[in-house]
Amino acid sequence: AEVAGPDGGPRLVFLHGFTQTRRSWKPIAEHFVAAGHECLVVDMPGHGDSGHVRADLRRAADMIATIGGPATYIGYSLGGRAALHVALLYPHVTERLGVIGANPGIDSEDERARRREGDDQLIARMEEVGLEAFLAEWVALPLFGGRPVGPLEMQDRLTNTVEGLASSLRLAGTGAQGSLWPRLRELNMPVTAMAGALDTKFAAIAQQIADTVPRGECVLVPGAAHAAHLDRPAEVIQAIEALLGRP
């Protein structure tokens, strides 16, 4: 993890998605550092400098809450699912919660088993073709709306390893986690559920999260696919600022 900004400024903790690293949040974190916030960008287990760490989402939440302390937790996709775990397990340190493209879980056992099979196939594919070819296929998925990935971003993703990413899918994939839907009503802090407006599946999930938690708001980011913070950073910054301004 990396910390920047004034010591004692209101803290934000940023959690990235599968195949990314902490650096994917840096442009947004830098905006909040300039506004007087202390920002912590975290490498998720199996990624970046935490590539050697093996952890499911419960264990990841333990580690994240320990280094994050009292803060606003912001997570995208895998990082959003981790942030939901932090908020449920450590509500006393979660001042506010913002998630982007995050699924609280799959209720149906059959569907979850199918998802695990899908994740196992992804792992097999990664092991078969190697990291570079796998990442090229991953970022080209329709989920990401054809967003071009620049050489610096790809270079950053290539600091990951097949072993680390495979462990992340195996331990912390959507198929591996239990459903958090029944517990969302416990989240009493202000919650903003975001999704790219073009990411219809997750837009519906974001609306459902916002409707379920006691103090929820849904923000659909226009013109953005799954990775809304990369597609439309200015709009995501605006949504986070609005979350920070909520009583």
Short mmCIF file of all heavy atoms in Angstrom, two decimals, residues 163-209:
data_model
loop_
_atom_site.label_atom_id
_atom_site.label_comp_id
_atom_site.label_asym_id
_atom_site.label_seq_id
_atom_site.Cartn_x
_atom_site.Cartn_y
_atom_site.Cartn_z
N GLU A 163 0.36 -16.80 -11.30
CA GLU A 163 0.09 -17.46 -10.02
C GLU A 163 -0.75 -16.58 -9.11
O GLU A 163 -1.70 -17.02 -8.48
CB GLU A 163 1.40 -17.83 -9.29
CG GLU A 163 2.30 -18.80 -10.02
CD GLU A 163 3.02 -18.16 -11.23
OE1 GLU A 163 3.26 -16.93 -11.23
OE2 GLU A 163 3.31 -18.91 -12.18
N GLY A 164 -0.37 -15.29 -9.03
CA GLY A 164 -1.08 -14.36 -8.15
C GLY A 164 -2.52 -14.15 -8.60
O GLY A 164 -3.45 -14.20 -7.80
N LEU A 165 -2.70 -13.93 -9.91
CA LEU A 165 -4.06 -13.70 -10.44
C LEU A 165 -4.92 -14.95 -10.29
O LEU A 165 -6.10 -14.87 -9.97
CB LEU A 165 -4.00 -13.26 -11.90
CG LEU A 165 -3.35 -11.89 -12.17
CD1 LEU A 165 -3.37 -11.57 -13.67
CD2 LEU A 165 -4.02 -10.77 -11.39
N ALA A 166 -4.31 -16.12 -10.51
CA ALA A 166 -5.06 -17.38 -10.36
C ALA A 166 -5.53 -17.53 -8.92
O ALA A 166 -6.67 -17.92 -8.65
CB ALA A 166 -4.19 -18.56 -10.78
N SER A 167 -4.65 -17.18 -7.96
CA SER A 167 -5.04 -17.32 -6.54
C SER A 167 -6.17 -16.34 -6.21
O SER A 167 -7.07 -16.66 -5.44
CB SER A 167 -3.84 -17.08 -5.62
OG SER A 167 -3.56 -15.70 -5.51
N SER A 168 -6.13 -15.15 -6.81
CA SER A 168 -7.18 -14.16 -6.56
C SER A 168 -8.52 -14.69 -7.06
O SER A 168 -9.53 -14.61 -6.34
CB SER A 168 -6.83 -12.84 -7.26
OG SER A 168 -7.91 -11.94 -7.16
N LEU A 169 -8.54 -15.25 -8.26
CA LEU A 169 -9.79 -15.80 -8.80
C LEU A 169 -10.28 -16.97 -7.95
O LEU A 169 -11.47 -17.09 -7.66
CB LEU A 169 -9.57 -16.30 -10.23
CG LEU A 169 -9.80 -15.31 -11.37
CD1 LEU A 169 -9.53 -16.01 -12.70
CD2 LEU A 169 -11.22 -14.75 -11.37
N ARG A 170 -9.34 -17.84 -7.58
CA ARG A 170 -9.71 -19.05 -6.85
C ARG A 170 -10.28 -18.72 -5.47
O ARG A 170 -11.25 -19.32 -5.03
CB ARG A 170 -8.46 -19.92 -6.71
CG ARG A 170 -8.74 -21.41 -6.68
CD ARG A 170 -7.47 -22.24 -6.79
NE ARG A 170 -7.11 -22.52 -8.16
CZ ARG A 170 -5.91 -22.25 -8.70
NH1 ARG A 170 -4.96 -21.71 -7.97
NH2 ARG A 170 -5.65 -22.54 -9.96
N LEU A 171 -9.66 -17.76 -4.79
CA LEU A 171 -10.04 -17.46 -3.40
C LEU A 171 -11.05 -16.33 -3.28
O LEU A 171 -11.85 -16.29 -2.35
CB LEU A 171 -8.78 -17.08 -2.59
CG LEU A 171 -7.73 -18.18 -2.43
CD1 LEU A 171 -6.44 -17.59 -1.86
CD2 LEU A 171 -8.25 -19.29 -1.53
N ALA A 172 -11.00 -15.36 -4.23
CA ALA A 172 -11.79 -14.14 -4.06
C ALA A 172 -12.68 -13.84 -5.26
O ALA A 172 -13.22 -12.75 -5.37
CB ALA A 172 -10.86 -12.95 -3.77
N GLY A 173 -12.83 -14.80 -6.16
CA GLY A 173 -13.73 -14.60 -7.30
C GLY A 173 -15.18 -14.56 -6.83
O GLY A 173 -15.50 -14.99 -5.72
N THR A 174 -16.07 -14.07 -7.68
CA THR A 174 -17.49 -13.98 -7.30
C THR A 174 -18.06 -15.37 -7.00
O THR A 174 -18.94 -15.51 -6.15
CB THR A 174 -18.30 -13.31 -8.44
OG1 THR A 174 -17.64 -12.10 -8.80
CG2 THR A 174 -19.71 -12.96 -7.99
N GLY A 175 -17.54 -16.39 -7.68
CA GLY A 175 -18.00 -17.76 -7.43
C GLY A 175 -17.55 -18.31 -6.08
O GLY A 175 -18.16 -19.22 -5.53
N ALA A 176 -16.46 -17.73 -5.55
CA ALA A 176 -15.90 -18.24 -4.29
C ALA A 176 -16.51 -17.57 -3.07
O ALA A 176 -16.41 -18.08 -1.96
CB ALA A 176 -14.38 -18.03 -4.29
N GLN A 177 -17.15 -16.40 -3.25
CA GLN A 177 -17.65 -15.68 -2.08
C GLN A 177 -19.12 -16.00 -1.80
O GLN A 177 -19.88 -16.29 -2.71
CB GLN A 177 -17.47 -14.17 -2.26
CG GLN A 177 -18.59 -13.51 -3.07
CD GLN A 177 -18.55 -11.99 -3.03
OE1 GLN A 177 -17.57 -11.38 -3.41
NE2 GLN A 177 -19.65 -11.38 -2.60
N GLY A 178 -19.46 -15.96 -0.53
CA GLY A 178 -20.87 -16.12 -0.16
C GLY A 178 -21.64 -14.85 -0.51
O GLY A 178 -21.05 -13.79 -0.72
N SER A 179 -22.95 -14.93 -0.56
CA SER A 179 -23.76 -13.76 -0.90
C SER A 179 -23.87 -12.82 0.30
O SER A 179 -24.19 -13.24 1.41
CB SER A 179 -25.17 -14.20 -1.32
OG SER A 179 -25.97 -13.05 -1.47
N LEU A 180 -23.61 -11.54 0.06
CA LEU A 180 -23.75 -10.52 1.11
C LEU A 180 -25.11 -9.82 1.07
O LEU A 180 -25.41 -9.00 1.93
CB LEU A 180 -22.64 -9.46 0.96
CG LEU A 180 -21.19 -9.96 1.00
CD1 LEU A 180 -20.23 -8.78 0.82
CD2 LEU A 180 -20.88 -10.69 2.30
N TRP A 181 -25.93 -10.14 0.05
CA TRP A 181 -27.23 -9.45 -0.10
C TRP A 181 -28.04 -9.43 1.20
O TRP A 181 -28.56 -8.38 1.59
CB TRP A 181 -28.06 -10.07 -1.22
CG TRP A 181 -27.60 -9.71 -2.60
CD1 TRP A 181 -26.98 -10.54 -3.49
CD2 TRP A 181 -27.71 -8.44 -3.26
NE1 TRP A 181 -26.69 -9.86 -4.66
CE2 TRP A 181 -27.14 -8.57 -4.55
CE3 TRP A 181 -28.25 -7.21 -2.89
CZ2 TRP A 181 -27.09 -7.51 -5.47
CZ3 TRP A 181 -28.19 -6.16 -3.80
CH2 TRP A 181 -27.62 -6.31 -5.07
N PRO A 182 -28.17 -10.59 1.91
CA PRO A 182 -29.02 -10.59 3.11
C PRO A 182 -28.51 -9.66 4.21
O PRO A 182 -29.26 -9.31 5.11
CB PRO A 182 -28.97 -12.05 3.59
CG PRO A 182 -28.45 -12.84 2.44
CD PRO A 182 -27.60 -11.92 1.64
N ARG A 183 -27.22 -9.26 4.14
CA ARG A 183 -26.64 -8.46 5.23
C ARG A 183 -26.51 -6.98 4.90
O ARG A 183 -26.09 -6.19 5.74
CB ARG A 183 -25.26 -9.03 5.60
CG ARG A 183 -25.33 -10.43 6.21
CD ARG A 183 -24.02 -10.81 6.82
NE ARG A 183 -23.59 -9.84 7.82
CZ ARG A 183 -22.32 -9.75 8.27
NH1 ARG A 183 -21.40 -10.57 7.82
NH2 ARG A 183 -22.00 -8.84 9.16
N LEU A 184 -26.86 -6.59 3.67
CA LEU A 184 -26.63 -5.19 3.26
C LEU A 184 -27.37 -4.18 4.14
O LEU A 184 -26.91 -3.06 4.32
CB LEU A 184 -27.02 -4.97 1.79
CG LEU A 184 -26.13 -5.63 0.73
CD1 LEU A 184 -26.53 -5.17 -0.66
CD2 LEU A 184 -24.65 -5.36 0.96
N ARG A 185 -28.53 -4.60 4.70
CA ARG A 185 -29.29 -3.68 5.55
C ARG A 185 -28.53 -3.26 6.81
O ARG A 185 -28.88 -2.31 7.48
CB ARG A 185 -30.62 -4.32 5.97
CG ARG A 185 -31.57 -4.46 4.82
CD ARG A 185 -32.91 -5.06 5.21
NE ARG A 185 -33.64 -5.49 4.04
CZ ARG A 185 -34.19 -4.67 3.16
NH1 ARG A 185 -34.12 -3.37 3.35
NH2 ARG A 185 -34.82 -5.13 2.10
N GLU A 186 -27.47 -4.01 7.14
CA GLU A 186 -26.66 -3.68 8.33
C GLU A 186 -25.76 -2.47 8.09
O GLU A 186 -25.20 -1.91 9.03
CB GLU A 186 -25.75 -4.86 8.71
CG GLU A 186 -26.50 -6.12 9.11
CD GLU A 186 -25.53 -7.30 9.23
OE1 GLU A 186 -24.36 -7.10 9.59
OE2 GLU A 186 -25.96 -8.44 8.94
N LEU A 187 -25.58 -2.08 6.83
CA LEU A 187 -24.64 -1.01 6.50
C LEU A 187 -25.28 0.35 6.78
O LEU A 187 -26.05 0.86 5.99
CB LEU A 187 -24.20 -1.10 5.03
CG LEU A 187 -23.46 -2.39 4.65
CD1 LEU A 187 -23.16 -2.40 3.16
CD2 LEU A 187 -22.16 -2.52 5.45
N ASN A 188 -24.93 0.94 7.92
CA ASN A 188 -25.58 2.19 8.34
C ASN A 188 -24.83 3.45 7.92
O ASN A 188 -25.31 4.55 8.14
CB ASN A 188 -25.78 2.20 9.86
CG ASN A 188 -26.89 1.24 10.26
OD1 ASN A 188 -27.93 1.22 9.61
ND2 ASN A 188 -26.66 0.45 11.28
N MET A 189 -23.63 3.27 7.34
CA MET A 189 -22.88 4.45 6.89
C MET A 189 -23.43 4.92 5.53
O MET A 189 -24.12 4.15 4.85
CB MET A 189 -21.39 4.12 6.78
CG MET A 189 -21.00 3.13 5.67
SD MET A 189 -21.51 1.39 5.92
CE MET A 189 -20.52 0.91 7.34
N PRO A 190 -23.16 6.17 5.10
CA PRO A 190 -23.55 6.56 3.75
C PRO A 190 -22.87 5.66 2.71
O PRO A 190 -21.66 5.42 2.80
CB PRO A 190 -23.04 8.01 3.63
CG PRO A 190 -22.87 8.48 5.04
CD PRO A 190 -22.50 7.27 5.84
N VAL A 191 -23.65 5.18 1.77
CA VAL A 191 -23.14 4.27 0.73
C VAL A 191 -23.50 4.84 -0.65
O VAL A 191 -24.65 5.22 -0.88
CB VAL A 191 -23.78 2.87 0.86
CG1 VAL A 191 -23.33 1.94 -0.27
CG2 VAL A 191 -23.44 2.24 2.22
N THR A 192 -22.50 4.90 -1.54
CA THR A 192 -22.78 5.26 -2.93
C THR A 192 -22.42 4.06 -3.81
O THR A 192 -21.26 3.61 -3.79
CB THR A 192 -21.99 6.50 -3.38
OG1 THR A 192 -22.41 7.62 -2.59
CG2 THR A 192 -22.26 6.82 -4.85
N ALA A 193 -23.40 3.53 -4.51
CA ALA A 193 -23.17 2.41 -5.44
C ALA A 193 -23.13 2.99 -6.85
O ALA A 193 -24.10 3.59 -7.31
CB ALA A 193 -24.29 1.39 -5.30
N MET A 194 -21.97 2.84 -7.49
CA MET A 194 -21.78 3.39 -8.84
C MET A 194 -21.65 2.26 -9.86
O MET A 194 -21.23 1.16 -9.53
CB MET A 194 -20.49 4.22 -8.89
CG MET A 194 -20.49 5.46 -8.03
SD MET A 194 -18.82 6.18 -7.93
CE MET A 194 -18.35 5.72 -6.27
N ALA A 195 -21.97 2.60 -11.09
CA ALA A 195 -21.72 1.68 -12.21
C ALA A 195 -21.72 2.52 -13.48
O ALA A 195 -22.32 3.60 -13.53
CB ALA A 195 -22.80 0.60 -12.29
N GLY A 196 -21.02 2.02 -14.49
CA GLY A 196 -21.09 2.66 -15.79
C GLY A 196 -22.50 2.48 -16.35
O GLY A 196 -23.07 1.39 -16.24
N ALA A 197 -23.05 3.54 -16.92
CA ALA A 197 -24.42 3.45 -17.47
C ALA A 197 -24.50 2.41 -18.60
O ALA A 197 -25.56 1.83 -18.83
CB ALA A 197 -24.86 4.82 -17.97
N LEU A 198 -23.38 2.16 -19.28
CA LEU A 198 -23.38 1.18 -20.38
C LEU A 198 -23.25 -0.26 -19.87
O LEU A 198 -23.42 -1.21 -20.62
CB LEU A 198 -22.22 1.47 -21.36
CG LEU A 198 -22.13 2.90 -21.92
CD1 LEU A 198 -20.88 3.06 -22.78
CD2 LEU A 198 -23.39 3.24 -22.72
N ASP A 199 -22.91 -0.39 -18.59
CA ASP A 199 -22.70 -1.71 -17.98
C ASP A 199 -24.03 -2.14 -17.34
O ASP A 199 -24.22 -2.05 -16.14
CB ASP A 199 -21.59 -1.56 -16.92
CG ASP A 199 -21.21 -2.87 -16.26
OD1 ASP A 199 -21.62 -3.93 -16.75
OD2 ASP A 199 -20.48 -2.81 -15.25
N THR A 200 -24.97 -2.58 -18.19
CA THR A 200 -26.36 -2.71 -17.74
C THR A 200 -26.53 -3.67 -16.57
O THR A 200 -27.30 -3.40 -15.65
CB THR A 200 -27.28 -3.13 -18.90
OG1 THR A 200 -26.66 -4.24 -19.57
CG2 THR A 200 -27.46 -2.01 -19.90
N LYS A 201 -25.81 -4.79 -16.58
CA LYS A 201 -25.93 -5.76 -15.48
C LYS A 201 -25.56 -5.10 -14.14
O LYS A 201 -26.29 -5.20 -13.16
CB LYS A 201 -25.02 -6.96 -15.74
CG LYS A 201 -25.00 -7.97 -14.60
CD LYS A 201 -23.98 -9.07 -14.80
CE LYS A 201 -23.78 -9.86 -13.51
NZ LYS A 201 -22.79 -10.94 -13.65
N PHE A 202 -24.42 -4.39 -14.13
CA PHE A 202 -23.96 -3.80 -12.87
C PHE A 202 -24.69 -2.51 -12.53
O PHE A 202 -24.76 -2.14 -11.37
CB PHE A 202 -22.43 -3.62 -12.89
CG PHE A 202 -21.71 -4.91 -12.65
CD1 PHE A 202 -21.33 -5.73 -13.70
CD2 PHE A 202 -21.46 -5.35 -11.36
CE1 PHE A 202 -20.71 -6.93 -13.48
CE2 PHE A 202 -20.83 -6.56 -11.11
CZ PHE A 202 -20.44 -7.35 -12.18
N ALA A 203 -25.26 -1.86 -13.54
CA ALA A 203 -26.10 -0.68 -13.26
C ALA A 203 -27.33 -1.12 -12.45
O ALA A 203 -27.72 -0.46 -11.48
CB ALA A 203 -26.52 -0.01 -14.57
N ALA A 204 -27.91 -2.26 -12.84
CA ALA A 204 -29.08 -2.78 -12.10
C ALA A 204 -28.67 -3.20 -10.69
O ALA A 204 -29.41 -2.96 -9.72
CB ALA A 204 -29.67 -3.97 -12.86
N ILE A 205 -27.49 -3.81 -10.56
CA ILE A 205 -27.01 -4.23 -9.23
C ILE A 205 -26.75 -3.00 -8.35
O ILE A 205 -27.11 -2.99 -7.16
CB ILE A 205 -25.73 -5.09 -9.36
CG1 ILE A 205 -26.08 -6.47 -9.95
CG2 ILE A 205 -25.02 -5.26 -8.02
CD1 ILE A 205 -24.89 -7.35 -10.29
N ALA A 206 -26.16 -1.95 -8.92
CA ALA A 206 -25.89 -0.71 -8.15
C ALA A 206 -27.19 -0.11 -7.62
O ALA A 206 -27.27 0.31 -6.46
CB ALA A 206 -25.15 0.31 -9.03
N GLN A 207 -28.21 -0.10 -8.47
CA GLN A 207 -29.51 0.42 -8.05
C GLN A 207 -30.08 -0.41 -6.90
O GLN A 207 -30.61 0.12 -5.92
CB GLN A 207 -30.49 0.43 -9.23
CG GLN A 207 -31.80 1.15 -8.94
CD GLN A 207 -31.62 2.62 -8.58
OE1 GLN A 207 -31.19 3.42 -9.39
NE2 GLN A 207 -31.94 2.97 -7.33
N GLN A 208 -29.92 -1.72 -7.03
CA GLN A 208 -30.43 -2.64 -6.00
C GLN A 208 -29.70 -2.46 -4.67
O GLN A 208 -30.31 -2.48 -3.59
CB GLN A 208 -30.27 -4.09 -6.51
CG GLN A 208 -31.25 -5.06 -5.88
CD GLN A 208 -31.07 -6.47 -6.47
OE1 GLN A 208 -30.55 -6.65 -7.57
NE2 GLN A 208 -31.48 -7.46 -5.71
N ILE A 209 -28.36 -2.27 -4.73
CA ILE A 209 -27.59 -2.01 -3.50
C ILE A 209 -28.10 -0.73 -2.84
O ILE A 209 -28.39 -0.69 -1.65
CB ILE A 209 -26.07 -1.87 -3.81
CG1 ILE A 209 -25.47 -3.20 -4.30
CG2 ILE A 209 -25.32 -1.38 -2.56
CD1 ILE A 209 -24.03 -3.09 -4.81
#
